[in-house]
Amino acid sequence: VVANGIVREGVAHICAEWDYFYTIDLNTGERLQLKDLFVENSDYKGVISENIKQQMREQMQADESVKYWLDDPQVEEWNFKTITDDTSFYLNEDGEIVICFNEGDVGPMSMGTVEFTIPKDVTAGIMK
């Protein structure tokens, strides 16, 4: 059983929003890290990152107002490449992993905070 805690903070003078997620295993009381959900030595970062890139491309294609830093040669150093051990996440009601980025992490700050729900079939073979 997992509990999720979400804290939203805003800094008024710069109008920015950050989300902090605390995913706790209710059986142990320990805070879970993303790697704790996966089989050891699995490429969960690569699998999840590729799904996020696919979702980004689909969103940008469907709506011209959506912009992510992805495959953009003008901002190569900003382009999203992969999640890290410190990437924020939580589990939704359906048990799917939701990867969360703060303003400016993967796109212009005008995009706000963004979340990507990773379908269960994407991680089915590597989750514990």
Side-chain angles (χ1 to χ4, degrees):
V1 179
V2 174
N4 295 299
I6 301 172
V7 178
R8 292 192 184 270
E9 292 185 6
V11 180
H13 67 280
I14 60 170
C15 298
E17 181 180 344
W18 294 272
D19 294 332
Y20 299 95
F21 300 90
Y22 302 95
T23 304
I24 308 296
D25 183 328
L26 294 179
N27 294 321
T28 65
E30 298 290 323
R31 184 172 176 188
L32 290 175
Q33 294 182 337
L34 192 57
K35 68 179 180 179
D36 297 331
L37 303 175
F38 296 95
V39 175
E40 193 172 337
N41 296 322
S42 64
D43 183 24
Y44 69 92
K45 289 179 192 174
V47 169
I48 291 172
S49 296
E50 287 307 311
N51 184 264
I52 290 171
K53 290 176 188 178
Q54 177 185 346
Q55 290 186 49
M56 287 176 168
R57 289 181 183 109
E58 289 171 357
Q59 289 177 24
M60 288 189 295
Q61 187 174 16
D63 184 347
E64 65 184 35
S65 70
V66 173
K67 174 69 176 150
Y68 294 107
W69 292 313
L70 182 70
D71 307 324
D72 188 338
Q74 294 181 355
V75 290
E76 180 64 35
E77 66 278 4
W78 292 353
N79 284 338
F80 173 74
K81 293 172 183 56
T82 186
I83 61 170
T84 68
D85 290 328
D86 297 322
T87 299
S88 292
F89 77 98
Y90 66 90
L91 301 174
N92 66 16
E93 299 83 22
D94 297 324
E96 297 168 308
I97 297 168
V98 181
I99 301 294
C100 312
F101 296 99
N102 290 322
E103 288 183 341
D105 284 352
V106 294
M109 290 188 75
S110 61
M111 289 282 296
T113 59
V114 292
E115 298 181 352
F116 298 91
T117 301
I118 309 303
K120 284 184 177 181
D121 64 329
V122 169
T123 58
I126 58 175
M127 284 194 79
K128 289 183 180 175

